[in-house]
Every structure is written in structure tokens, then in C-alpha cells.
Amino acid sequence: MKRSLSILFVVMFMLQSTSELWIMASFYAQRDFIIENLCENRFEPMTICGGVCFLDKQLVENEKEEQKL
């Protein structure tokens, strides 16, 4: 019982400490979808954002959640 609980805590700690990595990986995996559908500047004809505005929002939200904890 103690071993499984300690493994669970280690896994949770690893996921939390690498949350920015998961956000970045998700962004690059879905970048085309984000640029076409979620980007704030998607309706502007000459934008160079490339979805970075969405990534910045996600990272700021993650930072706020980490500060709460």
C-alpha cells in the first residue's frame, strides 16, 4: 500500500513539474488547428502571430494555477 501511494505521488509530482513541457508539446502538435481556429489574430490577413498568443495565454494560466498551489 505504501509503495503504490509513493509511486502515485512521484507520478503526480513529475506531471506537475513538467506541465509547461506538456503545454508546449500540445501546442506544437496542434499548431495548425490553433492558428486556424483559436488564435486571436486569425481574422487579420497579415498576421505573424502563428498561434503564439494562444500559447502565451496557456502558459500564464498555468503559472497562475501553480502560484495558487
Side-chain angles (χ1 to χ4, degrees):
M1 179 68 177
K2 289 183 181 180
R3 182 176 177 170
S4 61
L5 189 58
S6 63
I7 290 172
L8 176 66
F9 282 134
V10 168
V11 169
M12 287 176 27
F13 177 74
M14 293 297 288
L15 288 175
Q16 181 182 6
S17 64
T18 60
S19 62
E20 288 185 16
L21 175 68
W22 294 111
I23 291 171
M24 298 280 287
S26 174
F27 171 74
Y28 286 113
Q30 300 176 359
R31 191 170 193 165
D32 293 332
F33 175 79
I34 291 170
I35 292 170
E36 292 176 7
N37 299 313
L38 302 175
C39 184
E40 294 176 359
N41 301 323
R42 66 183 177 265
F43 298 117
E44 295 180 19
M46 297 296 289
T47 183
I48 56 171
C49 174
V52 176
C53 56
F54 181 78
L55 176 62
D56 289 339
K57 272 186 179 179
Q58 294 291 337
L59 292 173
V60 167
E61 286 180 23
N62 182 50
E63 187 176 323
K64 286 180 183 178
E65 287 181 22
E66 285 181 0
Q67 288 177 354
K68 285 182 184 178
L69 297 175

